[in-house]
């Protein structure tokens, strides 16, 4: 059976989540207190309803307890976002993802039962900053506050060298978990593999170690 989703708050972020889930053929219940927003999603989501998510009775009447995963994307209204999250948590929703506005909001959300807290503006800002610093950094994915994965193009300093020669783990404490070469992806690269110009390395490590690795080997 397909998982059922609900998106609460149909602003730019929630709207985009709702649209993508619907495009993927997932059943989505879209909720917003604004009639204009709800009308916009009438033909996109499975159901689109005008409702104030801070009202527990309303949430129950909408059958929210049958939903597998609820995404709370109430943007600037932090109070409403917190109230909604507490209620969803009390109702025993299996998976609650909430968009946070700032770090304090994030800390509260985690304490009151959000299973996943996302920070799209902050994360996108970090990714963009990394790609601006160097054209060799293709992507940047935060795993936790302290650890990330980066996708980097082989820099001039790496061309023709083997992973053993570069000693990335020994010198910078990061691990090369995979190497993409054209359409192939090698998930257990040997230390003797010689890097070619178009190779893409996927590297995991603490943010501090990854910065060291970037400064010494990635920036040309
Ligand atoms: P974004 O930054 O993603 O565009 P916004 O703050 O613009 O986020 O949008 C948040 C959406 O959440 C708005 O469409 C707003 O009507 C909706 N919203 C705010 N409070 C509630 C609430 N209590 N119940 C339901 N929807 C709400």
């Amino acid at each position: 059976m397909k998982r059922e989703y609900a998106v609460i708050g149909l602003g730019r972020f929630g709207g985009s989540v709702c649209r993508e889930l619907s495009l993927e053929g997932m059943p989505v219940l879209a909720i917003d207190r604004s009639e204009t927003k709800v009308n916009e999603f009438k033909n996109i989501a499975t159901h689109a309803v005008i409702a104030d998510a801070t009202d527990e009775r309303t949430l129950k009447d909408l059958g929210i307890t049958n939903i597998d995963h609820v995404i709370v994307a109430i943007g600037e209204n932090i109070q409403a976002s917190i109230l909604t999250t507490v209620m969803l948590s009390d109702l025993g929703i299996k998976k609650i993802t909430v968009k946070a506005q700032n770090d304090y909001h994030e800390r509260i959300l985690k304490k009151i039962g959000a299973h996943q807290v996302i920070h799209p503006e902050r994360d996108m800002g970090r990714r963009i900053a990394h790609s601006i610093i160097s054209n060799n950094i293709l992507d940047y994915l935060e795993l936790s506050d302290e650890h990330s994965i980066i996708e980097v193009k082989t820099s001039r300093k790496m061309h023709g060298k083997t992973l053993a020669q570069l000693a990335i783990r020994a010198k910078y404490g990061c691990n090369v978990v995979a190497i993409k070469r054209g359409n192939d992806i090698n998930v257990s690269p040997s230390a003797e593999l010689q890097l070619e110009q178009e190779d893409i390395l996927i590297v995991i490590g603490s943010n501090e170690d990854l910065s060291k690795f970037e400064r010494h080997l990635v920036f040309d």
Side-chain angles (χ1 to χ4, degrees), residues 9-13 32-34 37 51-54 73-77 80 99:
L10 303 168
R12 283 161 303 171
F13 178 74
D32 201 294
R33 64 178 178 186
S34 141
K37 287 279 167 204
D52 181 346
T54 58
I74 297 174
E76 288 184 0
N77 191 344
K99 175 186 152 170

Coordinates of all heavy atoms in Angstrom, one line a residue, residues 9-13 32-34 37 51-54 73-77 80 99, ligand 1:
G9 N 0.4 23.7 5.4 CA 1.1 25.0 5.0 C 1.5 24.9 3.6 O 2.4 24.1 3.3
L10 N 0.9 25.6 2.7 CA 1.1 25.5 1.3 C 1.8 26.7 0.8 O 1.5 27.3 -0.3 CB -0.2 25.2 0.5 CG -0.9 24.0 1.0 CD1 -2.3 23.9 0.4 CD2 -0.1 22.7 0.6
G11 N 2.8 27.2 1.5 CA 3.7 28.4 1.0 C 4.6 27.9 -0.1 O 4.4 26.8 -0.7
R12 N 5.7 28.6 -0.3 CA 6.6 28.2 -1.3 C 7.2 26.8 -1.0 O 7.2 25.9 -1.9 CB 7.8 29.1 -1.4 CG 7.4 30.4 -2.2 CD 8.4 31.5 -1.9 NE 8.5 31.7 -0.4 CZ 9.4 32.4 0.2 NH1 10.3 33.1 -0.5 NH2 9.4 32.6 1.5
F13 N 7.6 26.5 0.2 CA 8.2 25.2 0.5 C 7.2 24.1 0.6 O 7.3 23.1 -0.2 CB 9.0 25.3 1.9 CG 9.6 24.0 2.3 CD1 10.7 23.6 1.6 CD2 9.0 23.2 3.3 CE1 11.2 22.3 2.0 CE2 9.5 22.0 3.6 CZ 10.7 21.6 3.0
D32 N -4.3 24.1 4.4 CA -3.8 25.5 4.6 C -5.0 26.3 5.1 O -6.2 25.9 4.8 CB -3.3 26.1 3.4 CG -2.4 27.3 3.6 OD1 -2.9 28.3 4.2 OD2 -1.1 27.2 3.4
R33 N -4.8 27.3 5.9 CA -5.9 28.1 6.4 C -6.3 29.1 5.4 O -7.4 29.8 5.5 CB -5.6 28.7 7.8 CG -4.5 29.7 7.7 CD -4.3 30.3 9.1 NE -3.2 31.3 9.0 CZ -2.7 31.9 10.1 NH1 -3.2 31.7 11.3 NH2 -1.7 32.7 9.9
S34 N -5.5 29.3 4.3 CA -5.9 30.3 3.3 C -6.6 29.6 2.2 O -6.2 28.7 1.6 CB -4.6 31.0 2.8 OG -4.6 31.2 1.4
K37 N -4.7 29.6 -1.2 CA -3.7 28.6 -1.3 C -4.4 27.2 -1.6 O -3.9 26.5 -2.5 CB -2.9 28.5 0.0 CG -2.0 29.6 0.2 CD -0.7 29.3 -0.5 CE 0.1 30.6 -0.6 NZ 1.0 30.6 -1.7
A51 N -8.2 24.7 6.5 CA -8.3 24.4 8.0 C -7.2 25.0 8.7 O -6.1 25.2 8.2 CB -8.2 22.8 8.2
D52 N -7.5 25.3 10.0 CA -6.5 25.8 10.9 C -5.9 24.6 11.6 O -6.5 23.9 12.4 CB -7.1 26.8 11.9 CG -6.1 27.4 12.8 OD1 -4.9 26.9 12.9 OD2 -6.4 28.4 13.5
A53 N -4.6 24.4 11.3 CA -4.0 23.2 11.8 C -3.7 23.2 13.4 O -3.4 22.2 14.0 CB -2.6 22.9 11.1
T54 N -3.9 24.4 14.0 CA -3.7 24.4 15.4 C -4.9 24.0 16.2 O -5.0 23.9 17.4 CB -3.3 25.8 15.9 OG1 -4.4 26.7 15.5 CG2 -2.0 26.3 15.3
A73 N 4.8 22.7 7.2 CA 5.5 23.7 6.5 C 4.9 25.1 6.7 O 4.8 25.9 5.8 CB 5.6 23.3 5.0
I74 N 4.5 25.3 8.0 CA 4.0 26.6 8.4 C 5.2 27.5 8.6 O 6.0 27.2 9.4 CB 3.2 26.5 9.7 CG1 2.0 25.6 9.4 CG2 2.8 27.9 10.1 CD1 1.2 25.3 10.7
G75 N 5.4 28.4 7.7 CA 6.6 29.2 7.7 C 6.8 30.1 8.9 O 7.3 29.7 10.0
E76 N 6.4 31.4 8.7 CA 6.7 32.4 9.7 C 6.0 32.3 11.0 O 6.4 32.8 12.0 CB 6.5 33.8 9.1 CG 7.6 33.9 8.1 CD 7.7 35.3 7.4 OE1 6.8 36.1 7.7 OE2 8.6 35.4 6.6
N77 N 4.9 31.6 11.0 CA 4.1 31.5 12.2 C 4.6 30.4 13.1 O 4.1 29.3 13.1 CB 2.6 31.3 11.7 CG 1.6 31.4 12.9 OD1 2.0 31.5 14.0 ND2 0.4 31.5 12.5
A80 N 2.2 28.7 15.6 CA 1.3 27.7 15.0 C 2.1 26.5 14.6 O 1.6 25.4 14.8 CB 0.7 28.3 13.7
K99 N 9.4 22.1 9.1 CA 10.4 23.1 8.6 C 10.6 24.2 9.8 O 9.6 24.7 10.3 CB 9.7 23.8 7.4 CG 10.6 25.0 6.9 CD 9.9 25.7 5.8 CE 10.4 27.1 5.8 NZ 10.0 27.9 4.7
Ligands
LIG1 P1 7.2 29.7 2.9 O1 8.4 30.5 3.5 O2 7.5 28.2 2.7 O3 6.7 30.4 1.6 P2 5.0 30.8 4.3 O4 5.2 31.3 5.7 O5 4.9 31.9 3.2 O6 6.1 29.7 4.0 O7 3.7 29.9 4.2 C1 3.2 29.2 5.2 C2 1.8 28.7 4.8 O8 1.2 28.2 6.0 C3 0.8 29.9 4.4 O9 0.2 29.5 3.2 C4 -0.2 30.0 5.6 O10 -1.5 30.3 5.1 C5 -0.1 28.6 6.2 N1 -0.5 28.6 7.6 C6 0.0 29.4 8.6 N2 -0.6 29.1 9.8 C7 -1.4 28.1 9.6 C8 -2.3 27.3 10.4 N3 -2.4 27.6 11.7 N4 -3.0 26.3 9.8 C9 -2.9 26.0 8.5 N5 -2.1 26.7 7.6 C10 -1.3 27.8 8.2

